[in-house]
Amino acid sequence: MRIEKIKTLAKQYAPEFIAIRHHLHANPELSYEEYETSRFIQQKLKEFGIPFEIKATTGVVGLIKGRNPGKQTIALRGDMDALPIQEENEIPYKSKKDGVMHACGHDVHTTCLLGAAKILNELKDEWEGTVKLIFQPGEEKNPGGASLMIKEGVLENPKPAAIFGLHVHPGLQVGKLSFREGKVMASADEIYITVKGKGGHAAAPHLCIDPILIASHLIIGLQQVVSRNNNPYNPTVLSITSFQGGTTTNVIPGEVKLKGTFRAMDEAWRFKAHELIRKVATELVFSMGGEIDFLIDVGYPSVYNNEALNKLANGKAVEFMGAQNVEETEKRMGAEDFGYYTQLIPGCFYRLGVMNVSKKITAGVHTPTFNIDENAIEIGMGMMAWLGSSVPIE
Ligand code: NI
């Protein structure tokens, strides 16, 4: 049985891929600078005998053909970039680069995809179709490596009928996977506002146009976009996260700069909300005598897990792991550039449990002490190989 062979190979190869993860973890690279990581991936694919091409400078796209390769193509995606965080773990494979750390587990995602590639290639006479391996750069930073890879044709030639991606989940016990259908992660857009008034002596406010007061009203006013215009059943967040203006007690400043984030799960609401935010901001600032510079920097779209594909994947996970180890994951207002793929083809983004309370492995992603229980690697690579070789797309 193929499932048994995949499990056996994943177990057999786990030590090799844990060592690969240690290498990647010790040598992290920031978004769009994944040159060494890219070379390392290319070298491994060569070693396995898998052909590949380069996209978006550091991205690597491999192709494994099974029997009847024209039958269907399934894409498996792993991201490669690290974060500007100083690692605080005292481990033998601690980051060798000051201020750069794989704190979101993308080293694990790359490792699992390499592991799946080795297994799928070895068993290629035993499954049907083609598997496209997508090692993508720049998940952590706009415009998102996924969008660049798509621009360079990663979803063409052959066009995948479906795409799978996984993410480590520090809130899920190692040994488990979790899935959810429909909306799973939010879009994320950045808001930049400058409120311009007229500065002057704080004792003579009647001679000034006070941008501090206007910006204060604006923050309250913007909250009403969410509380009064959005359907309460539709998850959305608007947070003003930076308010900068003024230097001292007796001067009204000339301007105030605000920054914030807007998140949503419904794409139609998302763009309607942009217009509302713009209207409220502009009209409120004008009504108080100020002027405004306004920018929404449009970021990643929401991640949407195709219902039928998610059901199939969930069923495959139950076969691979047992029903007791497959859970439903929660929705999150975090963002992922995997959303760019799910806008174009059916996708399923699932979570790999990496937590182990007894080993004190519980730190969240994007923190200086994030780490994983490495027993997750055998599961992560095995499950990806199983999905790539067993999901029939109608
Ligand atoms: Ni991540």
Side-chain angles (χ1 to χ4, degrees):
M1 283 274 283
R2 190 168 70 247
I3 190 167
E4 293 308 326
K5 285 186 184 168
I6 290 174
K7 282 185 188 174
T8 304
L9 288 179
K11 193 175 202 65
Q12 183 186 331
Y13 294 152
E16 174 188 342
F17 284 88
I18 288 171
I20 283 175
R21 189 246 164 177
H22 289 175
H23 171 81
L24 293 170
H25 191 87
N27 296 282
E29 292 175 295
L30 292 173
S31 309
Y32 309 109
E33 295 172 15
E34 308 92 341
Y35 298 102
E36 289 305 320
T37 307
S38 179
R39 267 195 283 279
F40 180 82
I41 292 166
Q42 294 170 44
Q43 181 204 321
K44 285 291 158 194
L45 292 181
K46 262 184 213 153
E47 211 177 278
F48 304 157
I50 298 171
F52 60 85
E53 55 182 83
I54 309 299
K55 285 196 193 297
T57 312
T58 51
V60 185
V61 183
L63 220 50
I64 310 174
K65 293 185 175 176
R67 280 185 289 115
N68 192 6
K71 189 186 171 203
Q72 65 175 25
T73 298
I74 290 182
L76 304 176
R77 175 270 208 171
D79 42 11
M80 305 150 64
D81 54 331
L83 285 161
I85 291 178
Q86 178 66 43
E87 176 152 25
E88 288 176 13
N89 291 312
E90 288 311 325
I91 46 179
Y93 52 94
K94 182 175 179 171
S95 170
K96 290 179 191 163
K97 287 193 188 146
D98 267 357
V100 185
M101 176 191 175
H102 269 297
C104 198
H106 299 187
D107 53 337
V108 180
H109 307 163
T110 296
T111 300
C112 290
L113 186 51
L114 279 172
K118 180 164 175 164
I119 293 170
L120 284 167
N121 195 52
E122 205 161 308
L123 300 178
K124 66 183 168 191
D125 294 333
E126 303 194 19
W127 52 273
E128 282 196 296
T130 296
V131 167
K132 190 177 257 192
L133 311 161
I134 301 178
F135 296 91
Q136 73 146 77
E139 194 288 317
E140 298 285 0
K141 197 170 173 186
N142 276 349
S147 74
L148 303 182
M149 297 289 277
I150 290 167
K151 264 192 200 132
E152 296 197 14
V154 77
L155 296 186
E156 303 302 327
N157 227 346
K159 181 183 168 93
I163 185 164
F164 294 102
L166 68 79
H167 205 290
V168 295
H169 187 352
L172 184 66
Q173 182 65 24
V174 65
K176 291 179 186 280
L177 294 170
S178 65
F179 292 80
R180 184 184 191 93
E181 62 182 48
K183 296 162 185 171
V184 282
M185 292 186 76
S187 57
D189 307 311
E190 293 172 0
I191 303 171
Y192 297 90
I193 295 174
T194 303
V195 176
K196 295 173 181 172
K198 182 167 175 266
H201 201 297
H206 58 297
L207 301 178
C208 303
I209 296 168
D210 182 357
I212 299 245
L213 183 65
I214 299 173
S216 304
H217 277 283
L218 181 50
I219 291 169
I220 310 278
L222 288 177
Q223 286 309 318
Q224 292 165 31
V225 171
V226 171
S227 71
R228 301 292 85 178
N229 296 99
N230 177 51
N231 180 333
Y233 292 101
N234 179 29
T236 196
V237 171
L238 193 163
S239 295
I240 299 297
T241 52
S242 171
F243 185 124
Q244 290 180 319
T247 51
T248 187
T249 56
N250 56 4
V251 178
I252 290 175
E255 65 177 38
V256 166
K257 287 185 185 296
L258 301 178
K259 293 181 197 168
T261 185
F262 177 74
R263 284 152 193 260
M265 286 195 165
D266 181 273
E267 291 292 308
W269 156 247
R270 177 191 186 195
F271 290 102
K272 186 180 164 204
H274 288 184
E275 277 323 301
L276 285 166
I277 293 167
R278 182 187 299 276
K279 189 168 160 29
V280 167
T282 311
E283 292 182 2
L284 195 142
V285 170
F286 283 166
S287 76
M288 297 182 76
E291 286 177 24
I292 183 168
D293 282 345
F294 181 93
L295 172 73
I296 292 185
D297 187 7
V298 175
Y300 303 166
S302 53
V303 178
Y304 184 81
N305 276 351
N306 175 278
E307 282 85 354
L309 188 68
N310 194 75
K311 264 195 193 74
L312 274 171
N314 209 318
K316 290 293 161 189
V318 168
E319 288 169 20
F320 200 77
M321 315 275 299
Q324 73 282 9
N325 292 319
V326 181
E327 296 186 1
E328 181 172 52
T329 204
E330 68 276 31
K331 286 182 188 172
R332 303 181 155 238
M333 297 311 287
E336 237 294 338
D337 76 350
F338 194 79
Y340 283 113
Y341 303 115
T342 68
Q343 281 193 318
L344 298 171
I345 59 173
C348 171
F349 192 63
Y350 61 98
R351 300 201 175 265
L352 173 68
V354 296
M355 174 177 76
N356 192 325
V357 177
S358 62
K359 292 183 188 168
K360 296 200 170 70
I361 302 172
T362 56
V365 291
H366 295 220
T367 70
T369 54
F370 172 72
N371 204 355
I372 68 158
D373 183 325
E374 291 185 316
N375 289 324
I377 286 177
E378 176 185 333
I379 296 163
M381 61 196 249
M383 183 62 200
M384 274 222 140
W386 177 232
L387 283 174
S389 64
S390 72
V391 171
I393 308 295
E394 297 307 323

